[in-house]
Amino acid sequence: MATVRELLDSGTARLRASGSESARLDTELLLGWAIGAGRTAVVAHPDAPVGADAWSTFEAAVARREKGEPVAYLRGIKEFYGLAFATDRRALIPRPETEILVEAAEREVAWRLTEEPRPAGTPNVRVVDVGTGSGAIAIALATLLRRRRMLPEVTLLAVDSSTDALSLARENAVAHAVADAVAFVEADLTPRGEAPFDLILANLPYIPSAEVDRLPVAASFEPRAALDGGPDGLVVIRRLLTALPSTLAATGTALLEIGFDQGPAVESAVAGLPGGWSCRIRPDLSGRPRMAHVERSTNPAPATGAR
Ligand SMILES: C[S@@+](CC[C@H](N)C(=O)[O-])C[C@H]1O[C@@H](n2cnc3c(N)ncnc32)[C@H](O)[C@@H]1O
């Protein structure tokens, strides 16, 4: 019977040889998953024996990882905003850089519910997550708002053009007990008849087509429609921006994840919208400009630093 240490060493060597830049971490995650005890247990108990079933599950996973399959698809799970999301080839694996969109969205909703007077009968704050994929943004936001008891005053839609992605997103909503709070809709961008929205959130595909083919092999396991943003990466995002005058409420805000070098192009697309719009490009946690904050220039400035 092999020990944890032996399997970690052999798995790490194989993955390193196959070109993985995170060979040790990948191996720890895969062995922890195969054993059913998690990565921490594996690191903490290197001399523990590994049973035959877990061993063969681990070997099969390492073989698939050697061919480039992402660890998140092999384990079927990815942590996002402190929550465990089911992941498989139906949708993009949620990325940590998208978490700033959730944080900003929570601030926007909270500002609308607490800074503005809300007499009884005021309509709900209407939020849409466009291109929801696994549901990561909408579901993380719903769990945050539920914790803050704000969910009853929010109407939350999650949209995708992919039937497969939506089926995964629905499963994740059930797993996180927010299936009653998020409506999932199959549509191209914002669904007809649902606008205007107070908050439009979007992590749409933004990688230029030619670059998609040069991404690490792991990305080839993800749906191309989740990554490929057309010749300059901004084809889908530009369509969303063009529709803003009719889809965003008068005091609404759109928050869009973009590529770190796309800020100027997004600012110029917003400048071309009719009626006067502002676009601020905000940095992510590592200081890279990754989020566009778009609203009408007539929007009232916030009274406090809440936004
Ligand atoms: C980059 S992935 C983001 C997934 C998820 N929001 C996340 O952050 O992990 C983009 C998603 O947008 C969807 N998508 C692409 N074009 C779309 C369109 N025209 N209308 C709606 N969804 C679209 C894709 O199917 C994919 O699920």
Short mmCIF file of all heavy atoms in Angstrom, two decimals, residues 189 202-206 229 233-244 256-259 262 266 269 292:
data_model
loop_
_atom_site.label_atom_id
_atom_site.label_comp_id
_atom_site.label_asym_id
_atom_site.label_seq_id
_atom_site.Cartn_x
_atom_site.Cartn_y
_atom_site.Cartn_z
N LEU A 189 -27.80 38.35 -24.06
CA LEU A 189 -27.61 39.53 -23.20
C LEU A 189 -28.82 39.76 -22.31
O LEU A 189 -29.31 38.81 -21.71
CB LEU A 189 -27.24 40.75 -24.06
CG LEU A 189 -25.96 40.54 -24.91
CD1 LEU A 189 -25.67 41.74 -25.78
CD2 LEU A 189 -24.76 40.20 -24.04
N ALA A 202 -21.71 42.00 -15.46
CA ALA A 202 -21.37 41.16 -16.60
C ALA A 202 -19.90 40.78 -16.61
O ALA A 202 -19.04 41.65 -16.59
CB ALA A 202 -21.73 41.88 -17.91
N ASN A 203 -19.67 39.47 -16.61
CA ASN A 203 -18.35 38.96 -16.95
C ASN A 203 -18.56 38.17 -18.24
O ASN A 203 -18.75 36.96 -18.22
CB ASN A 203 -17.78 38.09 -15.85
CG ASN A 203 -16.43 37.49 -16.26
OD1 ASN A 203 -15.79 37.99 -17.18
ND2 ASN A 203 -16.02 36.44 -15.58
N LEU A 204 -18.56 38.92 -19.35
CA LEU A 204 -18.80 38.31 -20.67
C LEU A 204 -17.45 37.93 -21.28
O LEU A 204 -16.41 38.35 -20.80
CB LEU A 204 -19.55 39.32 -21.55
CG LEU A 204 -21.03 39.47 -21.18
CD1 LEU A 204 -21.62 40.74 -21.77
CD2 LEU A 204 -21.84 38.24 -21.63
N PRO A 205 -17.46 37.12 -22.34
CA PRO A 205 -16.17 36.79 -22.97
C PRO A 205 -15.47 38.04 -23.47
O PRO A 205 -16.11 38.90 -24.09
CB PRO A 205 -16.59 35.89 -24.15
CG PRO A 205 -18.05 36.06 -24.32
CD PRO A 205 -18.60 36.50 -23.01
N TYR A 206 -14.14 38.16 -23.18
CA TYR A 206 -13.43 39.37 -23.61
C TYR A 206 -12.04 39.07 -24.16
O TYR A 206 -11.21 39.97 -24.33
CB TYR A 206 -13.35 40.41 -22.49
CG TYR A 206 -12.75 39.93 -21.19
CD1 TYR A 206 -11.39 39.71 -21.05
CD2 TYR A 206 -13.57 39.70 -20.09
CE1 TYR A 206 -10.85 39.27 -19.86
CE2 TYR A 206 -13.04 39.26 -18.88
CZ TYR A 206 -11.69 39.05 -18.77
OH TYR A 206 -11.15 38.60 -17.59
N GLY A 229 -14.14 36.63 -27.31
CA GLY A 229 -14.86 37.90 -27.45
C GLY A 229 -14.75 38.51 -28.83
O GLY A 229 -14.93 39.73 -28.98
N GLY A 233 -11.86 41.15 -28.90
CA GLY A 233 -12.27 40.72 -27.56
C GLY A 233 -13.50 41.45 -27.04
O GLY A 233 -14.07 41.06 -26.02
N LEU A 234 -13.91 42.51 -27.72
CA LEU A 234 -14.96 43.36 -27.13
C LEU A 234 -16.29 43.32 -27.89
O LEU A 234 -17.16 44.16 -27.64
CB LEU A 234 -14.46 44.81 -27.06
CG LEU A 234 -13.38 45.03 -25.98
CD1 LEU A 234 -12.77 46.42 -26.10
CD2 LEU A 234 -13.98 44.83 -24.59
N VAL A 235 -16.46 42.33 -28.77
CA VAL A 235 -17.67 42.31 -29.59
C VAL A 235 -18.93 42.17 -28.73
O VAL A 235 -19.90 42.92 -28.88
CB VAL A 235 -17.58 41.17 -30.65
CG1 VAL A 235 -18.91 40.97 -31.36
CG2 VAL A 235 -16.47 41.49 -31.65
N VAL A 236 -18.92 41.23 -27.79
CA VAL A 236 -20.13 41.00 -26.98
C VAL A 236 -20.31 42.15 -25.98
O VAL A 236 -21.42 42.66 -25.78
CB VAL A 236 -20.03 39.64 -26.23
CG1 VAL A 236 -21.36 39.31 -25.57
CG2 VAL A 236 -19.61 38.53 -27.16
N ILE A 237 -19.20 42.59 -25.39
CA ILE A 237 -19.28 43.68 -24.41
C ILE A 237 -19.80 44.96 -25.08
O ILE A 237 -20.64 45.67 -24.53
CB ILE A 237 -17.89 43.90 -23.77
CG1 ILE A 237 -17.61 42.74 -22.80
CG2 ILE A 237 -17.80 45.26 -23.06
CD1 ILE A 237 -16.29 42.80 -22.08
N ARG A 238 -19.33 45.23 -26.30
CA ARG A 238 -19.80 46.44 -27.00
C ARG A 238 -21.31 46.37 -27.26
O ARG A 238 -22.01 47.37 -27.14
CB ARG A 238 -19.03 46.60 -28.31
CG ARG A 238 -18.48 48.01 -28.47
CD ARG A 238 -17.74 48.20 -29.79
NE ARG A 238 -16.31 48.20 -29.57
CZ ARG A 238 -15.47 47.26 -30.00
NH1 ARG A 238 -15.91 46.21 -30.66
NH2 ARG A 238 -14.19 47.35 -29.76
N ARG A 239 -21.79 45.16 -27.57
CA ARG A 239 -23.26 45.03 -27.79
C ARG A 239 -24.00 45.31 -26.49
O ARG A 239 -25.06 45.95 -26.50
CB ARG A 239 -23.58 43.61 -28.28
CG ARG A 239 -23.24 43.42 -29.77
CD ARG A 239 -23.53 41.98 -30.21
NE ARG A 239 -24.86 41.57 -29.88
CZ ARG A 239 -25.19 40.40 -29.31
NH1 ARG A 239 -24.26 39.51 -29.04
NH2 ARG A 239 -26.42 40.12 -29.05
N LEU A 240 -23.45 44.85 -25.38
CA LEU A 240 -24.11 45.12 -24.09
C LEU A 240 -24.11 46.63 -23.82
O LEU A 240 -25.12 47.19 -23.39
CB LEU A 240 -23.38 44.38 -22.96
CG LEU A 240 -24.02 44.56 -21.58
CD1 LEU A 240 -25.19 43.59 -21.40
CD2 LEU A 240 -23.01 44.31 -20.46
N LEU A 241 -22.96 47.28 -24.08
CA LEU A 241 -22.87 48.72 -23.83
C LEU A 241 -23.85 49.48 -24.72
O LEU A 241 -24.54 50.41 -24.27
CB LEU A 241 -21.44 49.21 -24.10
CG LEU A 241 -20.37 48.72 -23.13
CD1 LEU A 241 -18.97 49.13 -23.59
CD2 LEU A 241 -20.62 49.26 -21.71
N THR A 242 -23.94 49.10 -26.00
CA THR A 242 -24.83 49.80 -26.94
C THR A 242 -26.28 49.74 -26.47
O THR A 242 -27.06 50.67 -26.71
CB THR A 242 -24.69 49.15 -28.34
OG1 THR A 242 -23.33 49.21 -28.71
CG2 THR A 242 -25.52 49.87 -29.39
N ALA A 243 -26.62 48.65 -25.79
CA ALA A 243 -28.02 48.49 -25.34
C ALA A 243 -28.29 49.22 -24.02
O ALA A 243 -29.45 49.35 -23.61
CB ALA A 243 -28.33 47.00 -25.18
N LEU A 244 -27.25 49.74 -23.35
CA LEU A 244 -27.46 50.31 -22.01
C LEU A 244 -28.52 51.41 -21.95
O LEU A 244 -29.31 51.45 -21.00
CB LEU A 244 -26.14 50.85 -21.43
CG LEU A 244 -25.15 49.80 -20.90
CD1 LEU A 244 -23.95 50.49 -20.24
CD2 LEU A 244 -25.81 48.85 -19.90
N LEU A 256 -18.72 45.86 -15.33
CA LEU A 256 -18.27 44.87 -16.32
C LEU A 256 -16.83 44.46 -16.06
O LEU A 256 -15.96 45.32 -15.91
CB LEU A 256 -18.29 45.48 -17.72
CG LEU A 256 -19.60 45.62 -18.49
CD1 LEU A 256 -20.55 46.57 -17.81
CD2 LEU A 256 -19.28 46.15 -19.88
N GLU A 257 -16.59 43.15 -16.02
CA GLU A 257 -15.20 42.69 -15.99
C GLU A 257 -14.63 42.83 -17.40
O GLU A 257 -15.29 42.48 -18.39
CB GLU A 257 -15.11 41.23 -15.53
CG GLU A 257 -13.67 40.75 -15.47
CD GLU A 257 -13.50 39.40 -14.77
OE1 GLU A 257 -14.24 39.14 -13.80
OE2 GLU A 257 -12.63 38.64 -15.21
N ILE A 258 -13.39 43.35 -17.48
CA ILE A 258 -12.74 43.52 -18.79
C ILE A 258 -11.29 43.05 -18.69
O ILE A 258 -10.76 42.87 -17.60
CB ILE A 258 -12.77 45.01 -19.24
CG1 ILE A 258 -12.11 45.91 -18.19
CG2 ILE A 258 -14.19 45.45 -19.54
CD1 ILE A 258 -11.90 47.34 -18.65
N GLY A 259 -10.64 42.92 -19.85
CA GLY A 259 -9.22 42.60 -19.87
C GLY A 259 -8.42 43.81 -19.38
O GLY A 259 -8.86 44.95 -19.55
N GLN A 262 -8.06 46.69 -21.82
CA GLN A 262 -9.23 47.08 -22.61
C GLN A 262 -9.91 48.34 -22.10
O GLN A 262 -10.92 48.78 -22.68
CB GLN A 262 -10.24 45.91 -22.66
CG GLN A 262 -9.72 44.73 -23.47
CD GLN A 262 -10.62 43.51 -23.40
OE1 GLN A 262 -11.33 43.30 -22.40
NE2 GLN A 262 -10.59 42.68 -24.44
N VAL A 266 -13.03 50.45 -23.90
CA VAL A 266 -14.36 50.45 -23.27
C VAL A 266 -14.78 51.89 -22.98
O VAL A 266 -15.93 52.28 -23.24
CB VAL A 266 -14.34 49.59 -21.98
CG1 VAL A 266 -15.62 49.77 -21.16
CG2 VAL A 266 -14.14 48.12 -22.34
N ALA A 269 -16.02 53.33 -26.17
CA ALA A 269 -17.35 52.81 -26.54
C ALA A 269 -18.43 53.50 -25.71
O ALA A 269 -19.50 53.85 -26.23
CB ALA A 269 -17.39 51.30 -26.34
N ALA A 292 -15.04 47.86 -15.35
CA ALA A 292 -15.62 49.13 -15.84
C ALA A 292 -16.89 49.41 -15.05
O ALA A 292 -17.74 48.53 -14.88
CB ALA A 292 -15.91 49.03 -17.32
#
